[in-house]
Amino acid sequence: MCRQQIAVELAELEDFDWGHVFGNTNPVELEIGSGKAGFLLRRARARPERNFFGLEWANKYYRFAVDRMERWQVANVRLLRLDASHFIRVVCPRTSLSALHVYHPDPWPKKRHFKRRLFQQPFVDAAAACLEHGGHFAVQTDHAGYFETIRALLCSHPELRETPFDDPAFGVEAARVSTNYEIKYQHEGRRIYQIAAKRV
Ligand SMILES: C[S@@+](CC[C@H](N)C(=O)[O-])C[C@H]1O[C@@H](n2cnc3c(N)ncnc32)[C@H](O)[C@@H]1O
């Protein structure tokens, strides 16, 4: 499998269309901040009938993830190096995602840096609009304060309803997503906070 098939080029963002990106009309799940893409790889291999799209801003992790997908020859994953907030607000087609995964978003713990956080009202509004009706939005973090902000944003959104994180229809088993950060933080004994919501 050649690099171009996994890596999505910025030129493809014009008239962006999932069918064009994946070459089929299967349901699309998007992961923001996929890091080394352990979650995306496991989930994509377990669900070949679905498409998986990873957004990662850091070049080092993006390249690692592209190489990893090439090594495993997964046909149903595409990766893009772009700011996820921009992609969700401007590029992502509305009512097009069956799931949106955000695991361990950077918490920016200092108050003066809160404005850098991904979870802000305009992002959540756009993210909800990108989900299909019935689509899932799953978020996990180890940061209690950021979690309260995320929960308040999701629970107050008129089109989102909280749903069990390990909903069998969604497919995250035993509430484990097993991203690199989850594994690391569990070894350190840190508490992990999770929330999932459905677009109604
Ligand atoms: C704390 S790491 C978590 C990685 C992975 N989700 C995990 O749980 O192991 C956060 C990741 O999100 C990426 N990231 C942060 N802000 C981003 C943004 N605006 N757009 C895309 N990726 C972003 C970072 O580069 C980093 O790889």
Side-chain angles (χ1 to χ4, degrees):
M1 182 171 292
C2 70
R3 191 171 205 95
Q4 273 67 27
Q5 282 177 281
I6 299 283
V8 172
E9 302 298 325
L10 290 177
E12 292 182 58
L13 299 185
E14 288 231 349
D15 298 325
F16 191 83
D17 174 70
W18 291 122
H20 179 72
V21 169
F22 287 100
N24 63 52
T25 56
N26 292 344
V28 178
E29 299 194 14
L30 189 154
E31 187 189 19
I32 289 178
S34 37
K36 293 184 173 177
F39 167 75
L40 217 51
L41 177 62
R42 269 189 306 280
R43 195 166 171 92
R45 294 187 75 221
R47 294 173 174 77
E49 74 291 355
R50 304 176 79 83
N51 294 321
F52 294 87
F53 193 78
L55 283 168
E56 174 52 56
W57 176 240
N59 196 32
K60 184 172 120 182
Y61 294 125
Y62 167 75
R63 288 185 163 280
F64 182 96
V66 171
D67 286 347
R68 196 173 192 185
M69 297 302 165
E70 285 172 353
R71 279 200 307 278
W72 283 93
Q73 305 210 331
V74 277
N76 55 336
V77 172
R78 299 290 181 275
L79 295 164
L80 174 65
R81 183 175 175 236
L82 191 71
D83 168 35
S85 179
H86 174 79
F87 183 85
I88 291 293
R89 286 184 290 106
V90 178
V91 181
C92 187
R94 273 33 191 166
T95 319
S96 72
L97 299 175
S98 69
L100 177 55
H101 306 269
V102 191
Y103 302 131
H104 300 279
D106 291 338
W108 295 105
K110 291 183 181 152
K111 198 168 180 185
R112 68 176 186 277
H113 292 152
F114 280 7
K115 57 183 177 300
R116 298 185 190 173
R117 286 176 165 178
L118 179 68
F119 281 84
Q120 318 261 356
Q121 191 72 57
F123 166 77
V124 173
D125 289 346
C130 289
L131 288 170
E132 292 170 348
H133 297 279
H136 280 81
F137 193 169
V139 188
Q140 174 170 300
T141 176
D142 62 294
H143 193 281
Y146 195 20
F147 181 71
E148 283 315 313
T149 301
I150 294 166
R151 189 161 62 153
L153 285 166
L154 265 51
C155 290
S156 65
H157 195 283
E159 288 197 52
L160 296 175
R161 291 283 177 283
E162 193 170 355
T163 186
F165 193 85
D166 56 354
D167 180 347
F170 180 39
V172 177
E173 282 142 36
R176 293 292 310 272
V177 293
S178 300
T179 65
N180 280 58
Y181 273 74
E182 177 184 303
I183 293 163
K184 180 176 133 182
Y185 291 151
Q186 280 197 326
H187 280 147
E188 291 174 8
R190 286 205 217 180
R191 180 162 174 201
I192 305 265
Y193 303 88
Q194 302 175 316
I195 185 165
K198 253 185 201 181
R199 184 177 179 190
V200 291

